[in-house]
Amino acid sequence: MASMSKWTFLQAMCLVVSLSKAVPENYEDDIDVNFGPNYFNEITEEDQMEGETPTPSPEPCKGPVFTKWDKLFTMLENSQMKENMLLQYTDDIIKVELQSLREEMLQFVAQYGGSCASAVESSVRRAGIQTETRLQNAIDRVREVSADQSTQHDAALQQLLAASVNQAARLERLENDCLKWRGRGLASQAKSVQTRHLMQEVSETENGGRLEKTLAPISNELQTIREQLTLYTKSVFANSLPSGCDTGLLFPTRSSTAYVEVSPKTPFQTNAVTICLWVKPTQVLNKTILFSYSTTGNAYELQLVLNGQSVFFTVDGETHLVQASGAAQEGQWVHICAVWSSQQGLASLWVNGQQSASSPGVAEGHELRSKGSILLGQEYGRFFRHLSIPDTFDAELAFTGKMTGVNMWDRVLDSKEISQQARLDGSGCGIRGNVVAWGVSDIKPKGGVKLIY
């Protein structure tokens, strides 16, 4: 139908063009105006004679006289009228064809528009499903890779932990072997000296009365050897770390910037706590901070303090405390554990594996808040809100000496668990807390504090 309409339109246009070309060529030959008798359109000899005076002759009836210009204008008007009629006819044909074409287009859209829209919609839906599937596959691959990497990291950490434990055990065995060989050497030396003196004196004496006099210098020499062995043992333990610990902290001087920041393994909020550590104070003074835990709401949540030779353990401020007297000595390692439970507020202090003090009603019903800060050798105190200022600590509270084996649990440890950590020649450092674990938790020494091995 559309092809027939186009063919009709082309025929009409060809007709208009042919007529417009044919009319000007035939203006003088083929057009017959027919406004009157033909003789009125003829140019007579009288019209050609200009300036000549016509001879009057009587005529009974005279018609209109047309000049050649009148005839020319009449032909032009007739051709214009015909052209206008052709143009009007062409316009009518074009209008009719355009109307029929519009109707056909509307019919086509009504027939095929719904199927096209549904096809586009289905294509978009399929593309969306494919995109979502690809994104989900990519996310699954990322999760698998992350899980594999996490597993590998955990395995590597376990291997490192096992290696550190094995290394600590080997060092402990070597140290014990060294002490044993040293002791055996001194003992054999003592026995040889004793045997030599006995044989010499027996050979020189003739009766048993003089034997007692000869044993006196031998006894003195044995006492000297024993004292040397004791001094050697003390020097070995003084220069080494206790309980199988392979690393420690050295606080060389009292300073307002010397402290250690500890990051807990996981955030915690608990109603019970146990803190254990080894310390060797260089000097015991009034109020030396060993361990402090502060939050934005309470700068004195937990504190473990040396006060002279006594140890103080406070919970939720200095008004709630338990004290153990005569616990610390200058230049000697001591193991301290502080235990507290909000149920009945029972708090206790353990020194070298033995309970030295306990007190009920210490911060009973209190709950330790999470997201706090743990410091070793210093406290934030009233300066807790100025963490970015490095010189806001009190130098009079700073700890000097050595520290190791710092662990923290969110529960109460029993006496057996505490005593296992307190053996000087044992392997208590292998027992680690679930909140702070020595050798695992992140520690950051500041202000000249050194990590020693």
Side-chain angles (χ1 to χ4, degrees):
M1 185 69 178
S3 59
M4 294 178 62
S5 301
K6 292 179 181 179
W7 178 248
T8 304
F9 176 73
L10 291 175
Q11 288 179 344
M13 291 300 296
C14 292
L15 178 61
V16 171
V17 172
S18 60
L19 289 176
S20 61
K21 290 182 178 180
V23 169
E25 296 176 358
N26 299 322
Y27 276 160
E28 296 180 357
D29 299 330
D30 299 330
I31 296 176
D32 190 7
V33 180
N34 293 325
F35 283 104
N38 292 333
Y39 65 89
F40 289 117
N41 293 330
E42 295 178 358
I43 298 176
T44 59
E45 294 178 357
E46 294 178 356
D47 293 333
Q48 296 179 355
M49 296 175 62
E50 293 181 358
E52 296 181 2
T53 302
T55 303
S57 59
E59 293 182 1
C61 182
K62 293 183 179 181
V65 178
F66 296 97
T67 64
K68 61 181 180 179
W69 297 109
D70 292 334
K71 296 178 180 179
L72 182 60
F73 285 147
T74 300
M75 288 188 292
L76 288 176
E77 288 178 356
N78 291 338
S79 63
Q80 186 68 32
M81 290 176 61
K82 292 181 179 180
E83 184 176 357
N84 291 337
M85 291 175 63
L86 291 173
L87 291 174
Q88 182 65 33
Y89 178 72
T90 305
D91 290 341
D92 293 340
I93 292 176
I94 292 173
K95 289 180 180 180
V96 172
E97 294 298 330
L98 288 176
Q99 183 66 26
S100 63
L101 181 62
R102 181 175 178 275
E103 292 177 356
E104 292 176 1
M105 289 296 296
L106 291 176
Q107 184 178 0
F108 177 79
V109 170
Q111 183 176 358
Y112 299 103
S115 59
C116 292
S118 60
V120 171
E121 183 178 358
S122 62
S123 300
V124 172
R125 188 183 299 108
R126 285 195 300 271
I129 293 173
Q130 293 177 358
T131 303
E132 184 177 357
T133 303
R134 292 177 180 176
L135 288 175
Q136 187 63 37
N137 293 336
I139 292 172
D140 293 339
R141 287 196 296 270
V142 170
R143 288 177 178 174
E144 291 176 359
V145 172
S146 177
D148 294 340
Q149 291 180 352
S150 177
T151 303
Q152 294 176 0
H153 291 169
D154 292 342
L157 289 176
Q158 291 297 330
Q159 292 177 359
L160 290 175
L161 182 60
S164 64
V165 173
N166 294 334
Q167 188 69 18
R170 291 180 61 187
L171 290 174
E172 182 182 358
R173 288 195 298 270
L174 289 174
E175 184 178 322
N176 293 335
D177 293 340
C178 180
L179 292 175
K180 289 178 181 178
W181 283 109
R182 177 63 177 174
R184 290 175 182 176
L186 293 174
S188 62
Q189 181 182 358
K191 290 180 180 179
S192 63
V193 172
Q194 181 181 6
T195 304
R196 185 173 63 253
H197 280 280
L198 283 173
M199 293 179 65
Q200 181 179 359
E201 293 299 329
V202 169
S203 64
E204 292 178 356
T205 57
E206 297 178 354
N207 53 47
R210 298 180 59 186
L211 183 61
E212 183 177 356
K213 294 181 180 180
T214 61
L215 290 177
I218 296 174
S219 177
N220 294 334
E221 191 171 355
L222 287 175
Q223 182 65 28
T224 302
I225 294 173
R226 187 180 297 109
E227 291 176 357
Q228 291 178 357
L229 182 60
T230 303
L231 291 175
Y232 174 77
T233 304
K234 288 183 178 179
S235 65
V236 169
F237 281 112
N239 295 323
S240 62
L241 297 173
S243 194
C245 296
D246 53 357
T247 58
L249 296 169
L250 174 62
F251 297 78
T253 59
R254 305 189 78 182
S255 170
S256 62
T257 60
Y259 66 97
V260 175
E261 187 176 12
V262 181
S263 300
K265 292 172 61 177
T266 56
F268 68 96
Q269 186 169 355
T270 179
N271 296 322
V273 68
T274 300
I275 303 169
C276 293
L277 49 82
W278 283 94
V279 291
K280 180 184 177 182
T282 302
Q283 187 179 14
V284 289
L285 300 171
N286 292 334
K287 195 173 182 181
T288 300
I289 305 298
L290 300 178
F291 181 99
S292 68
Y293 175 66
S294 305
T295 62
T296 54
N298 187 357
Y300 305 98
E301 282 282 359
L302 293 173
Q303 280 196 333
L304 194 58
V305 183
L306 279 181
N307 191 2
Q309 294 183 348
S310 300
V311 179
F312 289 172
F313 177 47
T314 67
V315 182
D316 193 25
E318 296 181 353
T319 57
H320 308 284
L321 61 86
V322 58
Q323 175 183 353
S325 301
Q329 301 291 332
E330 292 182 356
Q332 295 183 12
W333 283 106
V334 59
H335 186 260
I336 302 172
C337 279
V339 182
W340 169 80
S341 174
S342 66
Q343 186 177 3
Q344 299 180 356
L346 185 61
S348 60
L349 279 171
W350 297 67
V351 178
N352 292 328
Q354 301 295 324
Q355 183 173 327
S356 297
S358 64
S359 176
V362 177
E364 183 177 355
H366 181 66
E367 184 179 36
L368 294 178
R369 302 177 182 178
S370 62
K371 298 181 181 179
S373 178
I374 297 176
L375 293 184
L376 302 179
Q378 194 51 270
E379 67 171 9
Y380 279 119
R382 65 181 182 275
F383 304 109
F384 184 74
R385 296 182 182 275
H386 306 284
L387 304 183
S388 60
I389 303 176
D391 297 325
T392 56
F393 298 111
D394 190 352
E396 297 297 326
L397 303 178
F399 169 74
T400 57
K402 295 180 181 179
M403 185 182 300
T404 187
V406 182
N407 291 284
M408 180 177 177
W409 293 262
D410 58 358
R411 62 182 180 88
V412 174
L413 267 62
D414 57 28
S415 59
K416 184 177 180 181
E417 292 175 308
I418 294 175
S419 62
Q420 288 177 350
Q421 303 176 57
R423 293 181 56 187
L424 189 65
D425 58 347
S427 57
C429 266
I431 303 174
R432 293 178 172 84
N434 64 338
V435 177
V436 174
W438 185 255
V440 177
S441 297
D442 184 25
I443 59 174
K444 297 178 181 178
K446 303 292 182 69
V449 180
K450 299 178 181 179
L451 191 65
I452 57 176
Y453 300 92

